[in-house]
Amino acid sequence: MGPARPNDPRHGGHASTACQPGNSIRKTMRRSTLVSDHVPPARRGSAGWIGPVGQFQGSARSAPTRLPLGSHSAPTSACVRSEWLDATPVASSSPLDISPGDLPPTCPAAELDFMSNLLSRPVFRFSLALPVLVFLGLRATTTTTPPLPHRAAATMSTALRAPVISVCHGGGPLPALGDPDHREVIRSLGERVPQVLRLGTAQAPRAIVLVTAHWQERNPTISNGASHPLYYDYGGMDRKAYELKYPAPGSPAVADEVRAALQAAGFQPQMNARRGWDHGVFIPMLVINPKADVPIVQLSILSSGSPAQHFALGRALAGLRDTNVAIVASGMSGLHNMRAMFGGQWHDGGFRRRNQEWLERLDKTVKTEDPTERGRLLESWRDWTGAKDAHPVGGEDHFLPLIVAAGAGGAGKAASYVDQLTGMLASKQPSFYWE
């Protein structure tokens, strides 16, 4: 580094506050600052360059002589520049950037001054540009822009996403035994649900995670056996109810996927390869898929009864849908009050009005499109009119699977249908699903 120069801020000097009149500044400058008249050495090569003063510097064929357009003498003091940017190469053939080294040897200095003065005049510049403008205008009138090609239709199919559905599994084994009071439930399990699950098609789920109302644990517990016996968790039924078989396979691999998804969401899931499938699993599945050719992984609800935890459980399972694993929630969300059912309260006008208000609010809440808002609304379900009639305190087990389904449903509005039970279990039982 050379000695400090009095007007060079890079060397400890002070920037001059003057700028010579007539000194042309190129419009490519960005931030302007008053600097000294110092000019770094010219770059080598055949092209000229723009120095820190924003003016053309001659090519390497001759010593650079700064000749600002519109001026007959070079500046002697400071000029406006752009934060000491490196010189920008430009073609030396530009008609507006001239140095003596770029002219033939026979061109005297007086001619250079005359040409510089002439080129700096706006009228002359316009006369040079006019033929170009006329040519471009004529070309624009004789050519047309080709139309944009049509966008090709998407050829990649959207990844298949498995559905979520909550179902009414009815009273004990009665749907699987053809009980006439379960006529509508049997029809829905045998016709509607297989269509939602796309059973019997190439898009059928590779497995079903079935959340059952009849298994409560402190931590979510997953059946992970390759096969499971049936758990006949009902009593006083016909002998046929204890001879039912459902030989669908389990899936240890999918059970591991469920565990990983729940762990990632902060749960502490447990595995259980021995517990049999309870009637919340095999009774509806006997009607839904009698072929028993889709693997099933049974999942417990939580003994805490917390709606927030069950909704979070569903949201944790939602990612499995993207791998074509369906979520089925098995319960009786509309009404599961044995005392009211067997005691005939369903026929009381006040009870039925409260239950109808409960059903309407439930329908509106579960069909909320925003999943975050849906979960928030479900947290207060205990305070709704008719909630204790439908699910007495301590008896919310048949409602909680629906909350899991609502969490797994994700964004979008659920579809629904309602089945009417008759006889001693008379009630309206809604089912909700997200495809």
Side-chain angles (χ1 to χ4, degrees):
M1 180 180 295
R5 304 182 185 183
N7 289 329
D8 191 347
R10 297 182 304 169
H11 299 282
H14 299 283
S16 171
T17 59
C19 186
Q20 292 294 325
N23 187 20
S24 175
I25 307 302
R26 296 182 68 89
K27 293 184 179 180
T28 55
M29 296 295 105
R30 286 179 285 185
R31 289 185 298 162
S32 297
T33 307
L34 291 175
V35 297
S36 75
D37 199 27
H38 172 74
V39 179
R43 290 186 178 178
R44 297 185 182 275
S46 60
W49 55 278
I50 298 175
V53 294
Q55 295 167 333
F56 179 84
Q57 307 299 324
S59 66
R61 290 175 292 170
S62 62
T65 302
R66 288 172 290 128
L67 187 65
L69 297 177
S71 174
H72 294 282
S73 60
T76 58
S77 183
C79 297
V80 180
R81 57 92 172 173
S82 177
E83 291 296 313
W84 289 105
L85 296 175
D86 288 338
T88 305
V90 296
S92 60
S93 60
S94 171
L96 301 182
D97 294 319
I98 303 174
S99 72
D102 293 318
L103 296 174
T106 57
C107 182
E111 291 183 19
L112 176 61
D113 284 346
F114 171 77
M115 292 177 63
S116 175
N117 188 36
L118 180 62
L119 290 173
S120 66
R121 297 184 180 183
V123 174
F124 186 82
R125 292 185 183 183
F126 179 77
S127 65
L128 290 177
L130 183 59
V132 178
L133 295 175
V134 172
F135 170 77
L136 292 177
L138 291 174
R139 187 172 183 270
T141 60
T142 57
T143 60
T144 57
T145 303
L148 293 175
H150 293 290
R151 180 173 295 181
T155 56
M156 295 182 63
S157 60
T158 304
L160 186 64
R161 195 176 199 212
V164 178
I165 185 168
S166 69
V167 300
C168 171
H169 65 234
L174 297 179
L177 299 177
D179 177 60
D181 287 334
H182 285 72
R183 185 180 297 107
E184 291 190 11
V185 170
I186 294 171
R187 183 172 65 248
S188 292
L189 292 177
E191 298 177 8
R192 284 174 166 154
V193 179
Q195 290 181 3
V196 172
L197 294 177
R198 301 188 285 265
L199 297 178
T201 73
Q203 292 79 37
R206 65 185 179 96
I208 293 173
V209 174
L210 201 150
V211 184
T212 174
H214 290 275
W215 188 14
Q216 297 185 60
E217 298 288 352
R218 181 177 179 181
N219 293 309
T221 307
I222 307 160
S223 64
N224 66 327
S227 62
H228 287 266
L230 301 188
Y231 176 30
Y232 303 104
D233 53 338
Y234 40 71
M237 297 293 173
D238 186 273
R239 179 179 176 181
K240 293 181 180 179
Y242 304 95
E243 296 175 348
L244 296 171
K245 304 297 180 184
Y246 193 70
S251 178
V254 173
D256 286 339
E257 294 176 34
V258 174
R259 176 173 59 181
L262 298 185
Q263 286 176 335
F267 290 97
Q268 297 178 345
Q270 306 296 317
M271 294 296 209
N272 190 322
R274 294 187 176 184
R275 186 184 191 274
W277 288 340
D278 58 56
H279 79 270
V281 178
F282 71 86
I283 292 300
M285 289 307 302
L286 272 167
V287 185
I288 294 170
N289 187 30
K291 291 183 178 180
D293 57 353
V294 178
I296 293 175
V297 173
Q298 182 180 226
L299 178 63
S300 76
I301 56 175
L302 304 175
S303 56
S304 67
S306 165
Q309 287 184 337
H310 284 86
F311 194 83
L313 190 67
R315 299 201 78 166
L317 296 173
L320 295 173
R321 297 176 59 196
D322 295 327
T323 67
N324 202 23
V325 174
I327 313 296
V328 175
S330 175
M332 292 177 69
S333 60
L335 178 68
H336 190 261
N337 183 339
M338 295 296 102
R339 178 177 295 180
M341 288 176 167
F342 292 129
Q345 293 185 36
W346 171 255
H347 303 288
D348 176 75
F351 184 93
R352 295 183 69 168
R353 282 192 297 272
R354 292 191 300 274
N355 187 252
Q356 184 60 34
E357 185 174 343
W358 151 264
L359 291 171
E360 290 174 358
R361 185 161 184 178
L362 177 62
D363 184 80
K364 182 178 179 180
T365 299
V366 175
K367 291 181 179 179
T368 300
E369 295 190 33
D370 178 20
T372 301
E373 179 66 7
R374 186 190 310 147
R376 187 188 69 80
L377 293 173
L378 282 169
E379 288 185 17
S380 61
W381 76 273
R382 264 293 174 210
D383 300 327
W384 300 354
T385 298
K388 293 179 181 178
D389 290 335
H391 301 279
V393 176
E396 58 277 337
D397 50 359
H398 279 63
F399 181 68
L400 296 175
L402 170 58
I403 299 183
V404 177
K413 187 175 182 179
S416 67
Y417 61 86
V418 178
D419 292 323
Q420 176 70 58
L421 289 174
T422 58
M424 288 190 300
L425 298 178
S427 58
K428 292 181 179 180
Q429 299 292 343
S431 292
F432 301 89
Y433 58 95
W434 294 259
E435 294 184 279

